[in-house]
Amino acid sequence: MSERNTLIRGLHDAGLAAWFGGSLMGAVGLNGAARNEGGTEAATDRIASAGWAKWTPVNAAAIAAHLFGSGGLLAVNAHRVAAQQGVAASTAAKTAVTAAALAATAYARVLGKKVELASSPDPQDAEKAATHPVDLDKARRQLTWAQWAVPAFTGCLVVLNALHGEQQRAGQQVAGMWERARSVSPFM
């Protein structure tokens, strides 16, 4: 492979790194610090919500960079996906895990916003929370699971990226393309 795709690969990898690292730090560090310093459940919710709200725009940019890079890499490697045995399967797995990570991220944000509004001392937030009442204990439990699901899924993406990297080795490409050709032609 003489073609370089440094920019799209950089967006793909840096976006995923920020998405994974930020979600893991939030689940461990931010939530842990909020529990230690909050004192009450409401205060803990406010501290954690403030931190996650600050992270949200950065996380959105990281996800956008990752998705843009993913699309670019898929476009420039379409020939490998079609011709090299195993690449289509790992690409499909990456797509499914990315969708799961996106869903978990969105769900965590929705739950986080509900917890934020329900625990806010601001009367306007209390009005918003009253229009959509929430079982706060249930929302907290679901939020904990969702916040841990994001680094689990994005961590899987890191591993799948390593697999894709291995599949790009010259020896893997030749062997994979030969096996694909053999599988579609009974005469080889």
Side-chain angles (χ1 to χ4, degrees):
M1 286 181 54
S2 61
E3 185 179 337
R4 288 183 173 229
N5 307 110
T6 306
L7 178 62
I8 59 173
R9 191 174 304 282
L11 288 170
H12 173 272
D13 292 353
L16 179 57
W19 190 9
F20 169 72
S23 64
L24 184 60
M25 190 288 302
V28 175
L30 176 59
N31 291 347
R35 275 190 303 279
N36 289 346
E37 299 299 320
T40 66
E41 283 187 325
T44 297
D45 290 343
R46 283 194 299 276
I47 294 167
S49 294
W52 282 108
K54 293 284 188 188
W55 173 245
T56 295
V58 176
N59 196 40
I63 293 168
H66 174 68
L67 294 176
F68 183 81
S70 294
L73 287 174
L74 181 59
V76 300
N77 288 300
H79 65 284
R80 284 187 50 245
V81 174
Q84 185 179 345
Q85 187 171 22
V87 176
S90 62
T91 300
K94 276 183 68 174
T95 301
V97 174
T98 299
L102 287 168
T105 301
Y107 187 57
R109 184 61 189 136
V110 167
L111 289 169
K113 195 65 177 170
K114 286 180 180 182
V115 169
E116 177 183 343
L117 291 174
S119 63
S120 176
D122 184 348
Q124 289 178 341
D125 288 344
E127 283 181 39
K128 290 178 189 174
T131 61
H132 301 289
V134 62
D135 178 346
L136 198 51
D137 289 331
K138 181 179 177 183
R140 285 180 183 130
R141 283 191 308 276
Q142 291 173 334
L143 180 58
T144 297
W145 281 102
Q147 287 176 335
W148 278 104
V150 176
F153 285 129
T154 53
C156 287
L157 287 173
V158 171
V159 173
L160 287 168
N161 284 341
L163 172 63
H164 266 202
E166 292 296 317
Q167 289 174 329
Q168 286 184 319
R169 292 176 183 238
Q172 290 288 310
Q173 287 185 41
V174 171
M177 289 179 186
W178 173 252
E179 286 302 316
R180 175 60 63 106
R182 285 187 56 218
S183 71
V184 297
S185 175
F187 304 110
M188 295 184 101

